[in-house]
Amino acid sequence: MTSTSGRRGHAVRLVVVVVAMFGFGFALAPMYNALCNALGINGKMELVASEVLAAVPVDESRVVTVEFVTTVNGGKPWRFQPDTPRIEVHPGQLYTVTFLVENTEAHDVVAQAVPNVAPWNAARHLRKTECFCFNNQPLASGEVQHMPVRFMLDPALPADVDTVTLSYTFFDITEAPAQAAVATSKL
């Protein structure tokens, strides 16, 4: 038979574990963002002003293929694709590409695109001045949009990288603004 103090000690350890797990979960997102910013991985990249990029010298001696890949999360029936699946670019030069999205559902939705860059060491050399992934995208039922991405590859891109893949996954976040409003109203 266990004593009351033994049960109490066990309960205290369980509470400490639960609090530690909650704290770790709460700190995970900021730690992830800090790591991605430091390493330039997983599509985390800084927004750069066009004027700053205009001063970067173009490396016309080098050609890099940039591929565009799209996915719709959760099996949604939306149409989402690059207007051009790949282009060849000179590092240091600004390019604009567009992506087509169509809400094929019978109701309005709000979507958010999450970018990713491969190979991992190319992410820190991708500079975007404009991207549909920066904001939520409200789409009316049946609406079709051509959404731009304006970018440049930094000439400091490692010499062994000759292909960069920029992929976007579209997520349905229609319920997220409503849930956030409810959570805020309870504060």
Side-chain angles (χ1 to χ4, degrees):
M1 215 190 244
T2 55
S3 68
T4 304
S5 65
R7 283 190 223 146
R8 199 172 291 134
H10 185 66
V12 168
R13 284 190 295 272
L14 287 175
V15 167
V16 167
V17 168
V18 168
V19 169
M21 288 177 15
F22 176 77
F24 179 74
F26 186 74
L28 196 56
M31 289 185 327
Y32 172 80
N33 287 335
L35 181 66
C36 288
N37 286 337
L39 299 177
I41 58 175
N42 285 334
K44 295 285 185 178
M45 60 211 74
E46 65 180 279
L47 174 63
V48 180
S50 296
E51 297 80 29
V52 172
L53 295 183
V56 175
V58 176
D59 182 356
E60 293 186 14
S61 68
R62 184 171 177 199
V63 175
V64 178
T65 301
V66 180
E67 300 175 330
F68 305 102
V69 178
T70 58
T71 306
V72 176
N73 188 55
K76 294 290 185 180
W78 307 336
R79 190 166 63 138
F80 178 45
Q81 64 195 45
D83 286 330
T84 305
R86 77 178 40 85
I87 63 172
E88 292 187 344
V89 303
H90 295 291
Q93 187 169 338
L94 280 170
Y95 293 89
T96 302
V97 294
T98 55
F99 290 75
L100 176 133
V101 65
E102 178 181 7
N103 176 10
T104 58
E105 296 191 79
H107 56 86
D108 297 354
V109 297
V110 178
Q112 177 66 53
V114 176
N116 195 14
V117 180
W120 68 271
N121 59 343
R124 70 178 54 175
H125 301 285
L126 178 67
R127 309 286 185 251
K128 293 182 188 178
T129 62
E130 181 180 350
C131 182
F132 59 90
C133 64
F134 295 157
N135 302 304
N136 295 344
Q137 300 297 323
L139 299 165
S141 175
E143 183 178 2
V144 176
Q145 288 186 21
H146 289 272
M147 304 175 300
V149 174
R150 188 161 169 81
F151 72 97
M152 174 198 91
L153 290 176
D154 192 298
L157 180 73
D160 64 331
V161 176
D162 60 0
T163 302
V164 174
T165 303
L166 180 55
S167 63
Y168 290 96
T169 302
F170 239 149
F171 290 86
D172 183 354
I173 62 163
T174 304
E175 298 300 319
Q179 291 171 351
V182 169
T184 303
S185 68
K186 291 182 178 180
L187 293 178

